[in-house]
Amino acid sequence: MPELAIEIRGACKHYPGFSLEDLSLKLEKGYVLGLIGPNGAGKTTTIRLLMGLARADSGEIRVLGEDPRKAGPALRARLGFVYDESKWYGTLNARETAAWVSRLYPTWSDEAFSSRLEGFGIDPGKKIDELSKGQRMKLSLAVALSHEAELIVMDEPTGGLDPVSRSELLDSLFAVVAEGRTSLLFSTHVTQDLERIADYIAFMKGGRLVFSEARDEVLARHALVRGPLAALGPGLESELVGRRVYDGGFEGLTDRPEAVRSRAGDRIRLERANLEDIMVYNVREDYHARPAS
């Protein structure tokens, strides 16, 4: 049986105005899980549960085989966190930051940190306030990798980055994943990034898990459907997750492409859907063609 970096079974967490319901999710060690969904879907609550910052009302949570609420500092030393905003003291430089961060991690390696900084192109003597946002994200990643983090949790790490900085950060993540020692949980709205790096995709909506599948299976199972309005009858609509109508035609998303082809034949055309298409058509109420998941 494969070792799991993350295992959530039937977790529920209730807040005023929001509930996370019956969440079950797992990630094998050495792989990348992309967590997607609109604001309010439950992604942040899920991360808080995994980090031990919140206690589930019911269900079971294991991170690297341990309960994050009971494991304490020993487990936290095996985890790394990369947030959308830098949490470092801006008046310190990377070298000074390492001096106090290293005290928190018994597995810290100054040699590994220096190597990561050099590989990421970060000047160790430059104040953090003087680094670009992309460089600050890389600094967070360098810190996580310098204490041999076995699981890195990333919350919107590429949000607000320019295309070049995003590409550089993703290249850095590719290199980390290729080493095969680290698992990644990557929560983001920038779904294009997950199409490059994620092995699995978990889609959340309204506090519930819609699906958790291999990325390639998700993309293969969905397709965009385009055609004239005359082809859009009740039979075809029943095969669509959602659709939008424009002058003379329609566009929709299906997770049953063969059934759509059988019903509509050459009156429609099927095209590749991306993760953003899948999320938008599942979430927008005005696009729904059949009862929402």
Side-chain angles (χ1 to χ4, degrees), residues 45-277:
T45 298
T46 300
I47 289 174
R48 287 179 58 81
L49 291 174
L50 289 170
M51 292 168 54
L53 298 176
R55 185 188 301 275
D57 297 327
S58 59
E60 185 175 357
I61 298 173
R62 291 287 182 271
V63 176
L64 300 175
E66 302 186 55
D67 182 337
R69 290 286 296 181
K70 298 177 180 178
L75 176 60
R76 287 194 289 272
R78 301 167 66 195
L79 305 177
F81 308 106
V82 180
Y83 299 97
D84 62 337
E85 291 294 338
S86 172
K87 306 298 181 182
W88 310 116
Y89 294 109
T91 56
L92 300 182
N93 60 38
R95 188 183 296 111
E96 293 166 335
T97 298
W100 66 265
V101 170
S102 62
R103 303 174 202 164
L104 305 175
Y105 300 106
T107 54
W108 179 268
S109 167
D110 285 326
E111 182 179 353
F113 184 67
S114 296
S115 176
R116 294 292 181 183
L117 289 185
E118 182 178 357
F120 292 164
I122 297 174
D123 180 351
K126 195 171 185 179
K127 289 184 179 180
I128 293 173
D129 276 347
E130 298 173 347
L131 299 176
S132 68
K133 184 171 183 178
Q135 289 175 318
R136 293 196 297 272
M137 292 297 101
K138 289 179 182 179
L139 174 61
S140 296
L141 185 58
V143 169
L145 295 172
S146 298
H147 64 84
E148 301 179 4
E150 298 171 52
L151 172 65
I152 298 179
V153 177
M154 311 186 78
D155 189 6
E156 296 291 347
T158 59
L161 296 185
D162 63 76
V164 173
S165 296
R166 276 180 54 211
S167 177
E168 290 174 347
L169 183 61
L170 288 175
D171 285 346
S172 300
L173 290 174
F174 268 126
V176 170
V177 172
E179 294 173 4
R181 297 191 300 269
T182 306
S183 309
L184 298 180
L185 174 65
F186 195 134
S187 175
T188 183
H189 288 105
V190 188
T191 53
Q192 303 98 307
D193 294 344
L194 298 182
E195 291 186 35
R196 289 185 58 188
I197 196 171
D199 298 297
Y200 299 94
I201 301 294
F203 172 38
M204 299 184 69
K205 182 177 70 170
R208 293 183 177 273
L209 183 69
V210 179
F211 62 74
S212 180
E213 300 176 33
R215 176 202 59 196
D216 292 344
E217 292 177 5
V218 171
L219 294 174
R221 185 164 56 86
H222 291 85
L224 287 177
V225 185
R226 291 193 172 97
L229 280 177
L232 188 63
L236 181 58
E237 284 207 77
S238 69
E239 308 294 355
L240 301 180
V241 174
R243 72 342 180 215
R244 65 182 182 90
V245 173
Y246 50 86
D247 290 343
F250 77 95
E251 177 188 272
L253 178 79
T254 184
D255 53 5
R256 305 167 186 168
E258 294 304 319
V260 166
R261 178 65 73 191
S262 176
R263 285 185 181 274
D266 58 8
R267 291 182 297 165
I268 55 89
R269 66 181 186 273
L270 296 173
E271 300 177 5
R272 181 186 182 276
N274 58 37
L275 290 177
E276 183 173 335
D277 296 324

